[in-house]
Amino acid sequence: MISVEEHLAAILAAVRPAEPVRLPLSDCLGLVLCEDVRSLVDLPGFDNSAMDGYAVRSADVEGADPAVSGSAVTLPVVGEVAAGGVATVPVGPGEAVRIMTGAMVPEGADAIIRVEDTDGGTGSVEIREGAPVGTSVRPAGEDVRAGTVVLGAGSVIDARRTALLAATGHGHVLVRPCPRVAVVSTGAELVAPGQALRAGQIHDSNAHMLEAALSECGAVTTHRLAIGDEGSEVLRVVDELAGQVDAIITSGGVSMGAYDVVKEALRETSTVDFVQVRMQPGKPQGFGTVGARSVPLFALPGNPVSSYVSFEVFVRPALRTMMGLLPAGRPVLRARLMHQLGSPAGRTQVARAVAVRDDSGWHADPVWGQASHFIADLSRANAFLIIPPDVTELAAGDEVEMWLLDGAEGRLSAWEAKHGHTAPDSVGRAGPALTHVRADGSAQMVDVSAKKVTAREASAAGRVLLSPDAVAALRSGDVPKGDALAVARIAGIQAVKRTPDLIPLAHPIAVHGVKVDVDVADDAVEIRATVRTADRTGIEMEALTAVTVAALALIDMVKAVDKHARITDVRVVAKSGGRSGDWSES
Ligand code: AMP
Ligand code: MG
């Protein structure tokens, strides 16, 4: 086994910056400039006006002062010039030319009077306020002189530098091109997303993930292939691609199984090494160069999280090196763990986490599923936590190294910034085996006849996140459909009586009392339901159903005002009575 650092070093030693090419400006975003670029023009290119107004000789309007009555000066308007036009009429003594922003200043004029300081006349103009020589005139060459170097070789081209290159006359520049990459998925089980699955098949997520990750780091996917588990096919495809692309990424077929075709086939080429890296996830890795052009080939593991982590840790730095950028591209920060985290001895763990920042710094909440098949948890994460091989146990509050995957601003929409992630990690996860399922798989309602009848009460709460417009409409009673809060309350009460019909294994029980409260808060409606019974089984499901159905009824009432209304935090907050005793949330 080799360390993460050793494997990365071997990769970086084998890749070279791409040969520069001349590309149109619109294809240069994020690329490294490979020449010193000199301006082809003066900026501004000629003396021009900073204002809409009148070009004059300053001396002619010297005495004009709005504070002194009778001091205004009236001049004949002898011409007009707009941006893009040529100032053909000079401004003689005692004359004015009407002028627009960006237009050439006519000969003879030495100041521009803003239209606001005049009567706006066209035949003649009354000027109420004078201006010193040079006022609102943008002199030629003030910003950049023709011939000066405006951007040096090695600069990364971003939007602001693109403005400079365009303004100084460059339609094409010499840059290191973005790598053209082929992505090859292996595995007989793979089917393209959007197609129906047969037994044993899965959708190919790696190919699409890699294409997206390549695009994020400035590379372009020229080929996206899914091949089966035939070694000969792997060799044929790699041989063909090696003549056409700058890098090849395969996924799958590199571990210890019976169909690890990538490893078996490419090993024979002897230019690709297969190694075990002391990393979790992503232990099996292949890397080498193929074909006459020594194209780098990355053979990544097939598990989706392993594939993604491998891309970030090994492929991204290599591609950045090929682009002439620094290999390290992610902001590396220190963060405090929000929960304890175990880590395997002797392996660098790349744990996925949700990172948040407050006044005291960054905090990292490791996602629930750290195994390499948890794609939903990967998608929730916005950070990697890099846990060194010698650390096996970290406590809440411990400081860890963190790579921020989405940059400092993250990937929050305005909605998420306010309300949190769209997929809280309680949604969609399969739980432990059902207790109400018999060994043969059939459902059963537990026989409670032996249990004692006791007085029981349960409270549940939840909220519906709403836009400011929807909150305002609820407060002012302006929801077009009617009294949304009353409807929600009634719906919650009705739902309690229907709970056993909705929840398959819930017992029908005698409901003795129901209270549903619906309160409008700043950005949500808070719903709380308390339900009472005297029976043999608990009444928490009734309370939860009340909250959920009240929330649904509310959404139905306000959806015309807020189509993004969202139910969150539905939970039991208190219960009393029954064998498991009394309990409350706080
Ligand atoms: P392998 O290394 O080929 O045995 O793959 C390891 C695991 O990753 C298996 O469960 C594969 O089904 C899964 N896998 C391989 N390739 C992909 C892919 N392109 N997309 C999603 N899962 C994959
Ligand atoms: Mg496979």
Side-chain angles (χ1 to χ4, degrees):
M1 288 229 268
I2 60 172
S3 70
V4 171
E5 294 75 15
E6 284 166 326
H7 189 53
L8 180 60
I11 291 171
L12 295 183
V15 297
R16 293 183 304 275
E19 285 303 315
V21 292
R22 193 163 293 281
L23 289 181
L25 210 47
S26 53
D27 292 343
C28 291
L29 181 63
L31 301 183
V32 174
L33 191 64
C34 294
E35 61 183 346
D36 289 344
V37 173
R38 292 174 186 277
S39 182
L40 300 175
V41 294
D42 279 342
L43 285 185
F46 44 87
D47 291 355
N48 72 84
S49 175
M51 292 284 174
D52 292 329
Y54 295 84
V56 297
R57 295 172 176 244
S58 170
D60 291 342
V61 294
E62 211 181 342
D65 181 349
V68 179
S69 72
S71 68
V73 177
T74 300
L75 303 176
V77 177
V78 297
E80 182 177 304
V81 57
V86 179
T88 45
V89 183
V91 174
E95 292 176 348
V97 161
R98 203 162 161 237
I99 193 164
M100 311 304 153
T101 303
M104 268 182 151
V105 175
E107 225 186 284
D110 56 19
I112 308 296
I113 307 299
R114 305 184 305 166
V115 71
E116 297 90 320
D117 297 328
T118 73
D119 66 354
T122 49
S124 67
V125 60
E126 184 187 274
I127 291 173
R128 301 181 191 120
E129 181 156 18
V133 170
T135 301
S136 296
V137 175
R138 305 191 290 209
E142 184 186 28
D143 186 7
V144 173
R145 283 265 168 227
T148 51
V149 173
V150 288
L151 211 52
S155 308
V156 180
I157 299 175
D158 59 11
R160 298 182 296 277
R161 288 167 170 175
T162 299
L164 178 59
L165 292 169
T168 53
H170 298 277
H172 290 71
V173 287
L174 194 68
V175 288
R176 271 189 221 296
C178 69
R180 293 160 304 155
V181 186
V183 170
V184 182
S185 297
T186 69
E189 71 277 31
L190 302 178
V191 172
Q195 305 214 324
L197 297 175
R198 290 201 304 273
Q201 295 185 323
I202 62 169
H203 291 124
D204 178 357
S205 58
N206 287 351
H208 291 274
M209 174 276 289
L210 289 168
E211 181 173 8
L214 283 164
S215 170
E216 275 180 6
C217 87
V220 54
T221 304
T222 54
H223 301 72
R224 178 160 46 73
L225 313 175
I227 61 174
D229 280 325
E230 290 296 330
S232 57
E233 186 67 357
V234 174
L235 288 175
R236 188 189 67 73
V237 160
V238 166
D239 190 50
E240 204 174 297
L241 292 171
Q244 303 178 26
V245 298
D246 304 316
I248 300 171
I249 307 175
T250 68
S251 74
V254 296
S255 51
M256 304 293 194
Y259 294 96
D260 287 325
V261 283
V262 175
K263 186 154 104 180
E264 280 160 30
L266 289 179
R267 234 184 209 160
E268 287 171 24
T269 65
S270 78
T271 57
V272 181
D273 289 331
F274 288 86
V275 294
Q276 306 276 304
V277 179
R278 285 194 286 274
M279 174 165 107
Q280 186 188 63
K283 180 166 75 164
Q285 295 286 339
F287 174 75
T289 55
V290 291
R293 294 162 55 240
S294 294
V295 168
L297 182 145
F298 303 86
L300 308 185
N303 272 307
V305 180
S306 313
S307 244
Y308 179 73
V309 168
S310 305
F311 181 90
E312 278 293 321
V313 175
F314 299 121
V315 184
R316 198 171 190 274
L319 294 172
R320 289 177 57 87
T321 303
M322 290 165 73
M323 295 171 75
L325 298 165
L326 281 178
R330 298 298 190 190
V332 178
L333 308 159
R334 307 290 298 171
R336 290 211 177 273
L337 275 181
M338 293 165 75
H339 294 110
Q340 100 27 268
L341 180 67
S343 187
R347 310 261 293 267
T348 301
Q349 187 186 195
V350 183
R352 282 77 62 209
V354 177
V356 289
R357 188 197 183 128
D358 67 14
D359 292 345
S360 65
W362 283 96
H363 305 270
D365 186 7
V367 298
W368 180 87
Q370 291 289 340
S372 57
H373 62 288
F374 284 120
I375 302 177
D377 275 314
L378 173 67
S379 85
R380 250 164 232 132
N382 62 351
F384 281 172
L385 308 179
I386 310 295
I387 316 299
D390 58 337
V391 175
T392 55
E393 196 56 57
L394 288 157
D398 283 354
E399 216 181 68
V400 290
E401 176 183 328
M402 182 174 86
W403 297 5
L404 207 52
L405 298 175
D406 302 314
E409 284 166 30
R411 58 172 173 182
L412 292 184
S413 64
W415 173 264
E416 277 190 310
K418 186 159 180 209
H419 298 296
H421 283 264
T422 47
D425 64 5
S426 55
V427 172
R429 178 165 333 274
L434 294 167
T435 59
H436 289 45
V437 175
R438 291 201 300 246
D440 66 0
S442 59
Q444 65 177 352
M445 187 184 275
V446 172
D447 185 346
V448 294
S449 49
K451 288 191 179 180
K452 274 212 316 266
V453 171
T454 56
R456 298 160 186 259
E457 186 177 292
S459 295
R463 57 174 65 97
V464 179
L465 302 179
L466 293 170
S467 66
D469 284 351
V471 168
L474 283 172
R475 288 216 160 110
S476 59
D478 287 338
V479 175
K481 282 191 176 178
D483 189 343
L485 301 176
V487 170
R489 229 175 270 124
I490 301 278
I493 293 168
Q494 288 286 72
V496 169
K497 295 187 276 181
R498 305 301 296 269
T499 302
D501 299 341
L502 298 170
I503 313 295
L505 304 179
H507 296 82
I509 53 178
V511 176
H512 290 176
V514 181
K515 186 161 161 287
V516 178
D517 293 314
V518 180
D519 295 308
V520 184
D522 280 353
D523 57 359
V525 167
E526 306 281 353
I527 302 171
R528 190 180 168 107
T530 300
V531 190
R532 277 197 314 281
T533 185
D535 213 315
R536 294 185 160 83
T537 173
I539 197 158
E540 295 93 309
M541 285 316 302
E542 279 72 6
L544 288 168
T545 306
V547 169
T548 308
V549 173
L552 289 172
L554 185 78
I555 286 185
D556 184 46
M557 292 298 288
V558 302
K559 68 190 176 205
V561 190
D562 183 357
K563 61 180 184 302
H564 296 295
R566 180 140 59 93
I567 302 175
T568 72
D569 302 328
V570 175
R571 67 211 186 273
V572 175
V573 293
K575 64 154 292 228
S576 61
R579 208 172 37 164
S580 61
D582 296 356
W583 176 88
S584 85
E585 189 175 62
S586 47

